[in-house]
Structures are given as structure tokens and as C-alpha cells.
Amino acid sequence: MAYYHSKYGIGYKKKKRARTGRILFIILLLFIMGGAYAAYTLHQSIFAPNTWTPEGKKTSMYIPTNSSYEDLKSLLYTKGVIINRSTFEWLAERKKLPLSVKPGKYILASGMSNNDLINMLRAGLQSPTKVIINTVNTKEQLAGKIAAQLETDSTAIINLLNDSLRMAAINMDTANAIALFIPNTYEFFWNTNAEQLLNRMQSEYKKFWNNERSAKADSLGFSKNEIITIASIIEKETNKNDEKARIAGVYLNRLKSGWRLQADPTLKYAMRNFGLRRILTVHMDYESPYNTYKYTGLPPGPICLPSIKSINAVLDAEEHAYYFFCAKDDLSGYHNFAKNSAQHAINARNYHQALNRNKIYK
């Protein structure tokens, strides 16, 4: 007996189920592919490289204190560091970077992911700045040099160093406040403020004045700041490290004998004429407590920020009988030393004649 399938029979139903299965498979496949693409896109937005720096070199970015998220974006975009801004902002908002912008100096490298960059900025993982503190003549120059390397301005530093109550709290005064800064290279965070700077330098001052140096200062009969004041005069007398200890011995002999120091550098400091090459009799009458031609003893404070070599030269001063010294007439920068005024007069005359020959009159 023949068996016929109608179009609505068993064959039709099988075909319909097959088509439905294929459609469902395609839908599932598209769903999986869409999910995979979404996952890939998400991964790329978070972990793929998204920063660029010129020639692939690391670059510094400084975020000022109280910067907003908009300020931060402006800094990044002005530098041209961010490749895809939309993915950066998308992740930044989800990681709440707009609520936690932290100031400081940050090192940006080419190839950083959004995740790496945002985590660094949000956590405030800034890189330290090397701050060089070296010989300067005045507090104003010191403050200016530091302010050029940190966010804090020079006025804030000067105001702190001129605050008599604040200085007294650390056994300093406004005249010798500069003695707190031991010349060296230090690491600071760029957004260090004036108060934090002072606290750090106080700590470094204590480290420098260890037991050995403190004992040497005590044995000489001078305070730490007095030692630095003597060293500041030596710093300006010579750049020859090999004769600093001998010059220190001259000044110590004079101080212990109650003589006036008659140090030319103190007079230059008093007149704020640091380029003066020849001290004349008329200069010696200049009225100032820093004029050691007029006043016995040490000036009120350092006349510059002396190097560590100059400080150590005082602490390890030569013991000798010299009370005078004068620059050599070969203008080499070295000095002749004398035990009496007669010999010193000869040395001084030779030097003055050398100045005249070279037409150095002031």
C-alpha cells in the first residue's frame, strides 16, 4: 500500500526543525562572536597600549596641587600622550580617577595601558625629583634655586626662613637659617611644600652632624652653626680644597687670640657686591655687622652656603702659627701664609702689584 507525505506531514516538520536549529545555531554563534568581540574590546580598552611619547622616550608630567580631572586631561592631551581618549576616559571614570587626582611628578612611558596609567595616577605613584643644593650667597638665591626644582615658590621658602619663631623652634635664627641646608643632591617629591622642605632639611642637618663631627666642633669650642659660618668664609676665600684646612687654621688662630678676622668675603657680603675683586680702604669703613674689618668675632651668620669640604676643613683645621694669608702674585688662586705682619706686608705688596699689572683696580 503506498504511503504519501503531505507538505504538512512528517517530512515538512523535520525540515522545519532543521531550519530552526540552523537559525538558533547562527544566533548562538553570533552571540558568542559578539561576546568575544565585546570581551576583546573591553580587554583592549583596559590593557592594550594606549600611550605614546616622542621617540619612545620617557617623559615627565607635572600635576600641580589642587588640579582637577579636567586639568589632568588637559595636561595629558596637550602632551599628546593618549592615543585613544575615549577608552582612557571610559576607564578613568569607572576607576573613579576624577575623584582622586593627586599632584606630583609622573613619568610617562610609551606603550602604557590605560589601566597602568590610571592606577599610577590614582594611587599618586609619582617619581622623586633630584634637587641639587649647592653653594649660594644668600637665602634669596637658595630659595630661588630650590623653587626652580620643586612646586613650592621661593616666597614661601623665604617667609619660613625669616620666621623668627619657626627658626627658634629648631635652634636657629633668621641670620643663620641657611646653615640648615647642607649642600648635596637630595630626592624630593615635586609637590613638596616649604614646611615639608624645612622638616626634611632639619633631618638631613641632624644626620650630617653625627657624633664625630659634633665632637670635633665641641673640641674647637664652637657651635655647629659657628663652624658653618667659618666654613662659609673659607668657601669664599678659596676654591682650592687642598689649602682650606690651612686657611681655617688662620681664622681659628685669630678668633682664639681675639683678633678681627679682616676677611674680604665678609665685606663683599655686607655690601652685596659679590663680584668685587679688590678690597680698598674705603670699603673697610662700610657699616655692617658682617664687616669683619670693623667688628671682632664672627659675623651674625654664614655669608654663603659652604660646601661639605669647607665645613670639614674647619673641623680638621691645621694647627700652625700662621695669622695672615694673602693671594699669591701669580694669581693662581693659592695663598702665601705669614706668621707676622711684616712678612704679610711683603706678600700683600707683591699681590697688589700683580693686580696693578693686570689692571685689576676694583
Side-chain angles (χ1 to χ4, degrees), residues 125-158:
L125 300 177
Q126 60 172 304
S127 298
T129 295
K130 290 187 182 298
V131 175
I132 299 172
I133 296 178
N134 51 19
T135 299
V136 292
N137 294 318
T138 65
K139 287 186 289 187
E140 290 75 19
Q141 289 180 350
L142 173 65
K145 280 198 171 185
I146 293 175
Q149 302 173 78
L150 297 176
E151 182 185 26
T152 186
D153 60 45
S154 58
T155 301
I157 299 173
I158 286 295

Side-chain angles (χ1 to χ4, degrees), residues 101-122:
V101 175
K102 294 180 173 63
K105 171 190 173 184
Y106 296 88
I107 303 299
L108 308 178
S110 187
M112 293 178 73
S113 68
N114 285 329
N115 194 59
D116 291 337
L117 177 59
I118 292 167
N119 284 346
M120 178 180 71
L121 296 174
R122 189 180 63 169

Side-chain angles (χ1 to χ4, degrees), residues 305-326:
L305 194 59
S307 64
I308 291 176
K309 288 186 180 296
S310 292
I311 297 172
N312 287 338
V314 179
L315 296 175
D316 297 316
E318 283 188 18
E319 294 185 11
H320 52 58
Y322 296 125
Y323 277 78
F324 304 89
F325 67 94
C326 179

